Amino acid sequence: MASDDSSPLPTEKTVFQRLEDWGTSSLPPSLLATLVTALHARPLQAVPLFLFTPTLLFSSYLNLSGFTTASAGLTAAWSGLYALLALRRRQGLRAKFSVRGVVRGSAIGLGAANAVAGGWVYMNGDFKKDDERRRERKRWSGE
């Protein structure tokens, strides 16, 4: 028996829609903050740990608060900066294939992806629409 499924097939998302989804999500900056913490907490490297992690977590907070365009810009800037600075550190061939090397490569790749997607959302974002959506949700007290 053939099934009579009348529901339409889901349409494929374009690259720009996927970039928009990635750039407006609060998950990528918090994932990068987790990877940065894993890389720089032991042995303690204070500058990357205390400079990038809080900024990326604050970007996730901004996104959840309804400031998606501002959050995307902050994520793009700091993720791209982390990826560029991490690429400057040279690593031997054996170190690239260790667990730490895989985490480092993931952090650099995620930083680059966040920079591209966040930059796209910030470039095409509208602060007024963000403000209207935030007011429609009435999540916060006040106006």
Side-chain angles (χ1 to χ4, degrees):
M1 289 179 100
S3 65
D4 291 332
D5 189 13
S6 62
S7 64
L9 293 174
T11 58
E12 288 286 322
K13 288 186 174 184
T14 65
V15 173
F16 298 118
Q17 289 171 332
R18 289 182 190 269
L19 277 175
E20 185 81 23
D21 290 345
W22 186 270
T24 56
S25 175
S26 65
L27 188 61
S30 59
L31 283 175
L32 183 58
T34 304
L35 292 175
V36 169
T37 302
L39 285 169
H40 300 290
R42 195 171 255 188
L44 181 65
Q45 296 171 340
V47 174
L49 183 64
F50 298 128
L51 187 65
F52 290 102
T53 303
T55 309
L56 291 166
L57 290 175
F58 179 67
S59 176
S60 290
Y61 170 75
L62 277 178
N63 193 315
L64 293 173
S65 297
F67 298 94
T68 53
T69 303
S71 169
L74 188 65
T75 300
W78 285 90
S79 295
L81 182 63
Y82 180 79
L84 286 175
L85 290 177
L87 279 173
R88 290 189 62 201
R89 293 189 305 267
R90 290 291 160 215
Q91 207 172 17
L93 184 63
R94 287 180 54 128
K96 288 181 184 179
F97 296 106
S98 66
V99 174
R100 187 173 180 89
V102 171
V103 172
R104 180 178 180 268
S106 300
I108 292 171
L110 187 59
N114 286 351
V116 170
W120 174 260
V121 171
Y122 186 75
M123 205 170 58
N124 296 320
D126 187 7
F127 287 100
K128 290 181 182 178
K129 285 183 182 176
D130 289 348
D131 190 41
E132 289 171 6
R133 281 188 232 130
R134 216 175 25 260
R135 291 183 191 278
E136 286 173 8
R137 286 191 327 191
K138 294 183 183 176
R139 181 177 241 173
W140 311 105
S141 62
E143 290 184 44

